Amino acid sequence: MSSVRNHDVVVIGGGIMGCSAAYFLARDGLDVALVERAVQVGTEASGRNAGGIRQNARHPAEVPLAMASVKWWEFFRDELRGAFHYEQHGNLSLACTEEEVRGLQQTAVRLRSIGLDVRHVQGADLKELCPNLSEMVLAANYCPTDGQSNPILATRFIARCARDLGATIYLDTPVVGLAMHGGQVTAVETAHGVIGTDAVVNTAGPWANEIAVMIGSRLPILARPTQVAVTLPMPPVLRQFISGNTVYIRPTRTGNLLVGGGGPWDVLGFTRENTYSSIRRFAARGMQILPALSGTSMLRAWAGILAVSPDRVTIVDRMPGVENMVVATGCSGHGFCLGPGAGQTLAEMVQGRAPSTDIEGLRLSRFPPGLDINAVYKTEPEPM
Amino acid sequence: MCAVTVCRCELVTDEDVARAIDDWDARTLNEVKLITRAGKGACQGRCCFSLLRAFVARRLEIEPATLQAPRLRLPVRPVPMALLAVLAERREHE
């Protein structure tokens, strides 16, 4: 990069949200730059998650964005021929107690009223869908259009689509400051030079608050690690992406199973270390709902860093106090699926258009001004 | 010419490695591992590392020694899930 350049829009952060925003902005004919600190896109949470693409088991506020995203995921796969292994074999959200069964029934009614095809299944119907679940599983909510992809390939694919439409991607380019003038960001200062711009998209994930601080603002998010493990390949025992009993299990096309979950919920900060207590818990909790897991071995584990919001619901909004900045962060561990829908929404907001997807429940105004997330954060499992 | 198998656990060939570099912009061994699955199998790259490094270096036209080894991950060798589950129960009773 030469010392000074200009772009219509600068997107900060090359995860699934930032790559998608760059794609939709470039599609609308804007001259967009994406700046990414790492030497590749998707090296943090967007490349470390389990690849689930689901509308099921979400807070109702997120469901419209998830539904819009699934349409875009299908577009990337079917129209643009994206080879990122996107398969729609369904998602099962499991109940293991009577209380959870009642919760799932209520959730199914609520999500159906928003227009999502979710079916509450029990007994023989559940057995037919997923024959290898244990007796501990009493019921499930099933969303047939949900599925999974390879998140590393998916993020790179959308970045490539953005580049094909004219977006410039600056890798190995950390942002060190933002220049302000008259209530607007006028330039993004990077380690390799200054980029003059008319608008900024903050998709820096758990680092989004550091970007907000550069304009004297703050975002109510905190960073927390989460872990995933993968087993040796085994004969097929599972078709859907399942979650319950505080873990999730996902089949892969190579016959390995991914096992992960939200915890530990009391370890905070920017760490990517695995802990023995978590990988033991994956095995114990996973075998309780899918006993066939006992027939294989754990091969490898890894970790990534989440941006957690106070209510564990995604944030998509204009940045308060500055006219030309929008933000998407705080996905709290379920943001990968939302990338394309969030990217489209961010692109619309940058251009002053009303979002075509209902994001009213994702706005920052739902939190009291100046809310300190550390004061309200609870170290307990999120609902899955 | 026949494709050469680089990673025997995951049946990854030199052509897969070339595609990861040419089509998916992989520039490091870790990226090639993530994209092709080379080194993700039962041996966790212990068998294929040298061969993989040689093929990647040749494709990128750089010295093999300049390529860092892919990340090593817990639990290093496969551990039966049933054993991990028993250990988890013991911890809960302590």
Side-chain angles (χ1 to χ4, degrees):
Chain A
M1 198 193 303
S2 67
S3 62
V4 180
R5 289 194 174 218
N6 289 293
H7 290 277
D8 294 339
V9 189
V10 177
V11 179
I12 301 173
I16 190 67
M17 300 263 162
C19 292
S20 299
Y23 169 78
F24 285 100
L25 287 161
R27 210 171 116 113
D28 286 341
L30 275 80
D31 173 14
V32 54
L34 172 79
V35 291
E36 164 55 44
R37 182 180 57 183
V39 296
Q40 254 303 343
V41 297
T43 60
E44 294 289 352
S46 295
R48 291 161 178 266
N49 67 88
I53 293 183
R54 72 171 160 90
Q55 307 145 101
N56 199 14
R58 282 187 185 275
H59 188 285
E62 278 183 355
V63 171
L65 196 63
M67 289 172 70
S69 295
V70 165
K71 293 282 167 237
W72 283 116
W73 283 116
E74 291 169 348
F75 168 81
F76 284 123
R77 177 192 62 194
D78 301 335
E79 306 299 319
L80 302 188
R81 307 244 166 251
F84 48 85
H85 308 169
Y86 178 27
E87 293 168 337
Q88 289 165 293
H89 295 318
N91 177 288
L92 284 162
S93 170
L94 311 177
C96 300
T97 65
E98 290 299 337
E99 193 188 341
E100 286 178 350
V101 174
R102 284 190 295 277
L104 280 189
Q105 284 167 331
Q106 287 165 6
T107 303
V109 171
R110 240 179 130 177
L111 298 188
R112 288 183 73 86
S113 75
I114 306 172
L116 182 65
D117 178 9
V118 178
R119 302 160 201 177
H120 185 78
V121 285
Q122 299 193 0
D125 294 337
L126 180 55
K127 198 85 190 161
E128 196 186 330
L129 268 173
C130 197
N132 295 313
L133 293 175
S134 76
E135 297 303 316
M136 180 186 178
V137 180
L138 304 176
N141 278 3
Y142 174 59
C143 179
T145 52
D146 281 349
Q148 60 202 34
S149 73
N150 177 321
I152 295 167
L153 299 183
T155 308
R156 284 184 191 224
F157 178 77
I158 294 179
R160 188 202 299 161
C161 291
R163 212 172 46 201
D164 289 347
L165 291 174
T168 309
I169 298 179
Y170 298 107
L171 299 170
D172 194 18
T173 304
V175 170
V176 296
L178 296 172
M180 296 273 292
H181 186 77
Q184 299 208 344
V185 181
T186 54
V188 175
E189 295 157 4
T190 79
H192 304 306
V194 175
I195 308 173
T197 189
D198 297 330
V200 172
V201 177
N202 180 0
T203 46
W207 293 273
N209 186 50
E210 293 177 21
I211 302 299
V213 166
M214 290 175 187
I215 56 162
S217 190
R218 235 174 47 159
L219 285 164
I221 55 167
L222 53 78
R224 199 194 71 201
T226 189
Q227 302 177 42
V228 192
V230 61
T231 71
L232 281 174
M234 65 186 298
V237 293
L238 181 68
R239 187 167 164 79
Q240 301 86 359
F241 194 124
I242 64 172
S243 62
N245 199 28
T246 76
V247 293
Y248 62 77
I249 308 175
R250 190 213 125 162
T252 70
R253 51 165 49 197
T254 42
N256 314 66
L257 293 171
L258 298 185
V259 190
W265 296 274
D266 53 346
V267 178
L268 300 177
F270 293 89
T271 166
R272 299 174 199 82
E273 299 293 315
N274 285 106
T275 58
Y276 285 104
S277 63
S278 273
I279 63 177
R280 284 194 304 259
R281 190 172 56 83
F282 290 159
R285 294 282 185 147
M287 274 170 52
Q288 284 168 2
I289 55 173
L290 189 73
L293 263 184
S294 65
T296 188
S297 292
M298 186 179 289
L299 177 58
R300 181 172 64 245
W302 65 96
I305 302 166
L306 312 178
V308 181
S309 80
D311 53 8
R312 298 183 182 183
V313 173
T314 297
I315 294 165
V316 182
D317 204 354
R318 300 188 154 281
M319 194 69 201
V322 59
E323 284 170 26
N324 61 342
M325 189 179 202
V326 296
V327 61
T329 185
C331 302
S332 309
H334 37 259
F336 178 71
C337 160
L338 303 177
Q344 180 195 21
T345 305
L346 292 166
E348 289 167 340
M349 289 195 294
V350 160
Q351 296 170 81
R353 301 208 301 261
S356 53
T357 305
D358 176 9
I359 55 139
E360 287 315 305
L362 309 181
R363 295 208 185 258
L364 278 163
S365 53
R366 69 184 189 267
F367 307 119
L371 174 70
D372 177 9
I373 183 172
N374 293 295
V376 298
Y377 180 76
K378 292 188 177 67
T379 56
E380 61 191 36
E382 39 272 280
M384 289 216 291
Chain B
M1 201 171 79
C2 263
V4 177
T5 299
V6 180
C7 165
R8 284 180 287 166
C9 298
E10 295 288 331
L11 298 177
V12 179
T13 68
D14 61 334
E15 290 170 359
D16 297 323
V17 171
R19 266 196 298 275
I21 292 167
D22 300 346
D23 298 350
W24 292 100
D25 293 331
R27 294 295 176 267
T28 64
L29 284 183
N30 203 57
E31 287 178 77
V32 172
K33 168 186 161 183
L34 293 175
I35 289 167
T36 63
R37 303 191 57 78
K40 282 192 172 193
C43 87
Q44 288 291 283
R46 275 182 284 273
C47 305
C48 64
F49 167 65
S50 311
L51 197 55
L52 180 66
R53 186 170 64 175
F55 274 105
V56 172
R58 188 197 287 178
R59 194 76 184 181
L60 291 173
E61 297 178 357
I62 57 176
E63 282 298 314
T66 61
L67 285 166
Q68 268 192 346
R71 295 184 192 113
L72 274 177
R73 295 297 194 188
L74 279 178
V76 184
R77 284 172 198 277
V79 179
M81 293 296 265
L83 175 62
L84 285 167
V86 167
L87 291 173
E89 271 169 32
R90 266 191 211 159
R91 284 296 169 115
E92 276 175 22
H93 291 147
E94 267 171 19

